[in-house]
């Protein structure tokens, strides 16, 4: 849990959650504009709507704020993917729907994703490992969807893991390479082409509309 990774002098969990949400929102605005290293804790406090003294009741260092930002980004991605996975439909439809939802989320969170990968190296070893573990958990979600798409065919655990990582990176590629990709593709075109590549690599075709 994120609250276990970051010390807070305040013990009211509801208040801690409220203040940290303000902090994350304020920090993201500043990180987008100035970057993590050029942003000061005083600026984060001001952008969040409270004093520097209040800020330090909920965190100890600026790196704590970065950790909370990274944790929040992964939580948003995981919640959105779980919603799609839990929707009724055939396994193949779920794979297509999860892939599309993930790619669209990467489009919505382009700047957040870039910030996270640029700055995660600034985290301490234990908090960095926590963030990376959350990434592994999301890849594992994709793995499970892939495996259930092939109930009558064999796919090794290594191949499923590799394909899940491919999907994960292809979604992020839209964020990292958008300056080039958006000259050639709309988001819809990018999703359609990448989905076709994924299905071909799994030797399955795209589901027809209305097909269960």
């Amino acid at each position: 849990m994120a609250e276990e990774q970051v010390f807070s002098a305040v013990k009211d969990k509801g208040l801690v959650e409220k203040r940290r949400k303000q902090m994350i929102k304020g920090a993201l605005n500043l990180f987008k504009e100035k970057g993590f290293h050029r942003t000061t804790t005083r600026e984060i406090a001001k952008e969040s709507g409270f004093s520097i003294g209040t800020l330090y009741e909920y965190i100890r260092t600026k790196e704590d704020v970065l950790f909370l930002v990274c944790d929040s980004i992964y939580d948003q991605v995981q919640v959105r993917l779980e919603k799609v996975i839990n929707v009724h439909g055939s396994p193949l439809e779920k794979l297509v729907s999860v892939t599309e939802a993930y790619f669209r989320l990467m489009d919505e969170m382009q700047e957040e994703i870039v910030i996270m990968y640029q700055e995660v190296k600034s985290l301490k070893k234990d908090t960095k490992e926590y963030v990376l573990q959350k990434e592994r958990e999301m890849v594992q979600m994709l793995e499970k969807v892939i495996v259930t798409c092939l109930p009558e065919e064999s796919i090794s655990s290594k191949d499923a893991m590799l394909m899940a990582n491919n999907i994960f990176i292809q979604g992020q590629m839209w964020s990292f390479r958008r300056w080039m990709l958006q000259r050639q593709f709309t988001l819809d075109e990018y999703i359609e082409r990448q989905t076709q590549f994924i299905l071909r690599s799994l030797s399955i075709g795209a589901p027809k509309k209305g097909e269960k």
Side-chain angles (χ1 to χ4, degrees):
M1 299 287 287
E3 56 266 28
E4 296 173 357
Q5 299 288 329
V6 178
F7 172 81
S8 172
V10 178
K11 302 309 176 186
D12 184 330
K13 291 186 177 180
L15 186 56
V16 170
E17 183 178 356
K18 178 182 177 181
R19 292 297 188 217
R20 286 182 172 173
K21 282 182 178 178
Q22 292 174 266
M23 202 182 303
I24 289 166
K25 183 178 179 181
L28 264 173
N29 290 336
L30 290 167
F31 293 169
K32 289 176 185 179
E33 178 185 348
K34 304 178 63 175
F36 169 72
H37 292 287
R38 291 172 56 205
T39 298
T40 67
T41 50
R42 190 171 297 277
E43 289 172 327
I44 293 171
K46 183 178 179 180
E47 187 74 13
S48 303
F50 38 78
S51 69
I52 186 70
T54 299
L55 180 81
Y56 279 115
E57 291 179 358
Y58 298 92
I59 53 101
R60 284 186 288 192
T61 67
K62 189 171 70 169
E63 287 71 26
D64 285 345
V65 181
L66 176 61
F67 167 75
L68 292 172
V69 167
C70 292
D71 188 60
S72 174
I73 291 170
Y74 272 131
D75 279 348
Q76 290 180 61
V77 176
Q78 188 166 359
V79 167
R80 289 276 289 272
L81 287 182
E82 285 177 343
K83 284 183 179 179
V84 179
I85 288 173
N86 292 327
V87 170
H88 293 298
S90 71
L92 179 54
E93 287 174 326
K94 281 192 178 184
L95 176 59
V96 173
S97 296
V98 168
T99 300
E100 178 178 356
Y102 174 63
F103 283 9
R104 291 193 185 281
L105 186 56
M106 292 299 98
D107 178 64
E108 292 174 25
M109 300 178 68
Q110 289 179 21
E111 293 181 316
E112 288 90 338
I113 296 300
V114 171
I115 287 170
M116 184 175 63
Y117 277 100
Q118 284 178 336
E119 308 298 355
V120 71
K121 62 182 180 294
S122 299
L123 294 173
K124 291 181 291 186
K125 183 178 179 180
D126 56 340
T127 49
K128 185 190 298 183
E129 176 55 32
Y130 173 91
V131 170
L132 293 177
Q133 177 58 32
K134 297 197 82 167
E135 178 174 302
R136 286 192 286 269
E137 289 170 3
M138 279 185 285
V139 172
Q140 287 168 1
M141 289 171 64
L142 294 172
E143 274 186 68
K144 290 179 181 177
V145 176
I146 291 168
V147 170
T148 58
C149 272
L150 302 168
E152 297 178 358
E153 301 187 42
S154 61
I155 181 169
S156 70
S157 58
K158 283 188 175 181
D159 284 346
M161 181 272 291
L162 185 57
M163 179 53 63
N165 276 279
N166 283 343
I167 295 172
F168 196 75
I169 295 302
Q170 285 163 7
Q172 293 176 347
M173 184 168 70
W174 182 254
S175 299
F176 292 121
R177 303 282 295 174
R178 63 186 185 275
W179 59 272
M180 186 274 289
L181 291 170
Q182 290 176 354
R183 295 178 184 177
Q184 302 292 328
F185 306 100
T186 65
L187 176 60
D188 288 342
E189 290 171 338
Y190 181 79
I191 292 172
E192 181 181 1
R193 287 171 183 263
Q194 291 286 21
T195 301
Q196 289 298 327
F197 292 151
I198 292 164
L199 297 179
R200 287 174 193 166
S201 68
L202 293 171
S203 300
I204 51 180
K208 297 177 181 178
K209 288 186 178 180
E211 184 178 79
K212 299 294 183 181

